[in-house]
Amino acid sequence: MQEGYLYVDNGPFRVRIAPAAAVPATALDALRSSEPGSLYRGLIELTGGRAAARRVATALVRAGVVIEHPKRRGDWVTGQYLGHRLVDTFRLTAHHTWRDNPLVGALRRGGDRGLELGFLLESYFMVRNADWSAPAVLGHWLTPRQRTLFEEFYNEESGHSEAMADAFADAGLDPEAVRRAHPAPETLAYGTYFFAAGHQSPAHFATSLIVPEVPENPTKQSAAAVTDILDLLELVPDSLVQSFRAHGEIDDAAEHRRLPVDLLAECGPVPRDLAAELFVTLRQGVFGLDALLRGVHSRYADWDGDLSGRDAFLL
């Protein structure tokens, strides 16, 4: 309870759900238990009706504050529910991962142009290779909606790397040398993660998209949370940063951040063993991005922008 409201905490996130004075004791007990049946009964009492209770329960699940009770049993979960649980898990995991990542800390402190350029260069490699996974993903059997969503995603992602490469000229790098350069091993490994997920199944690839497409902290309530690493770049030309922001602006309707859940919802009932596997896939993605950022930190400190030795990164 705080300032007359009931708050439900989940890691770095807090959701305000009702004036505290209006919350019956039984509803509070149900919220504390997080057991689905008890929670639903408590919400009916809290909201005064089943329809309202369903709306509140859905909002709580999407906000990541309703955790499945460990004693609940069943052979499957719905794809949509699983998608929201995966997104919530990512946000909690990412909060702790970015807090401890040395590149994020170094960029917050500022003063190293080489690190800023290195982050942008390795990010460029990821965008350049974004279509690697397309043949594998689109080769699976897909529902009509899944195929439409995937095709729109690939169409929107394609072509942006060329503008990014050209913009490196404003930072003193030769765009053609940028195009010829190779990613660091950590970046190559992270890109291969999406390629492998695309070969496994549409559900695996939808899960892999959570890390790059879903905002880590959409409410921006935590000052310590990383919401946009581009905001931390101060020593590179703004035109170069804007070329990367233009890539993000293709999602002006916020469709990409909903894409993983929308794709998983099309999967219908998901067996428990596959659901558990998708949580492993998600953790691999968080680990892969963390490794990419650590690679930037170890390789680009005080980098002068010389691309002549880039091939050595593959040895």
Side-chain angles (χ1 to χ4, degrees):
M1 298 289 187
Q2 183 178 334
E3 299 177 352
Y5 284 87
L6 171 68
Y7 289 84
V8 181
D9 291 317
N10 191 0
F13 305 102
R14 168 174 284 190
V15 178
R16 186 176 71 176
I17 64 169
V23 181
T26 52
L28 284 176
D29 290 341
L31 288 169
R32 292 190 186 102
S33 75
S34 76
E35 193 276 321
S38 177
L39 171 66
Y40 187 52
R41 288 192 297 273
L43 288 174
I44 290 175
E45 184 172 349
L46 173 64
T47 61
R50 293 181 181 275
R54 282 196 295 273
R55 288 196 296 272
V56 174
T58 299
L60 290 173
V61 169
R62 289 179 176 174
V65 297
V66 178
I67 306 300
E68 199 173 19
H69 195 272
K71 293 184 179 180
R72 186 173 184 267
R73 292 290 182 267
D75 295 331
W76 56 270
V77 294
T78 67
Q80 185 179 47
Y81 174 83
L82 176 61
H84 289 304
R85 301 290 349 119
L86 286 164
V87 167
D88 175 52
T89 300
F90 160 64
R91 286 173 172 160
L92 294 176
T93 305
H95 172 73
H96 298 294
T97 301
W98 306 160
R99 180 192 62 193
D100 298 330
N101 187 279
L103 176 66
V104 174
L107 291 177
R108 286 192 184 282
R109 292 189 295 273
D112 193 328
R113 183 174 182 270
L115 285 179
E116 295 187 11
L117 277 175
F119 167 74
L120 292 175
L121 185 63
E122 296 300 329
S123 299
Y124 157 76
F125 294 136
M126 288 299 304
V127 175
R128 185 179 69 181
N129 296 331
D131 60 353
W132 275 7
S133 55
V137 173
L138 297 176
H140 289 291
W141 182 89
L142 302 168
T143 70
R145 177 161 170 73
Q146 281 179 325
R147 185 166 296 280
T148 297
L149 290 171
F150 276 132
E151 288 177 348
E152 289 177 351
F153 171 75
Y154 283 117
N155 288 338
E156 291 175 349
E157 290 288 315
S158 64
H160 289 272
S161 63
E162 288 301 302
M164 292 176 180
D166 289 338
F168 275 102
D170 297 338
L173 277 66
D174 178 3
E176 293 308 314
V178 168
R179 291 184 173 93
R180 291 193 303 269
H182 298 287
E186 297 89 350
T187 305
L188 188 62
Y190 186 47
T192 303
Y193 158 74
F194 297 99
F195 183 74
H199 273 274
Q200 286 179 284
S201 77
H204 286 84
F205 189 70
T207 300
S208 75
L209 292 178
I210 290 174
V211 176
E213 299 296 341
V214 175
E216 178 254 328
N217 186 357
T219 61
K220 298 188 178 180
Q221 291 177 336
S222 172
V226 176
T227 56
D228 188 350
I229 292 182
L230 292 177
D231 287 338
L232 304 178
L233 308 185
E234 300 177 344
L235 302 177
V236 294
D238 184 64
S239 56
L240 176 57
V241 175
Q242 292 307 316
S243 73
F244 283 79
R245 289 204 183 280
H247 177 250
E249 288 169 1
I250 61 175
D251 190 26
D252 56 352
E255 294 174 345
H256 286 196
R257 67 187 61 186
R258 298 192 301 268
L259 183 62
V261 174
D262 288 345
L263 289 167
L264 286 165
E266 288 293 302
C267 295
V270 178
R272 292 270 175 174
D273 56 349
L274 175 56
E277 192 174 311
L278 295 181
F279 278 95
V280 174
T281 298
L282 176 65
R283 288 195 294 272
Q284 290 172 330
V286 174
F287 176 84
L289 181 55
D290 182 55
L292 184 157
L293 298 178
R294 289 176 183 273
V296 170
H297 182 259
S298 67
R299 297 175 188 279
Y300 288 96
D302 300 319
W303 182 51
D304 62 2
D306 180 13
L307 289 164
S308 61
R310 290 291 301 166
D311 286 343
F313 284 5
L314 298 180
L315 298 178

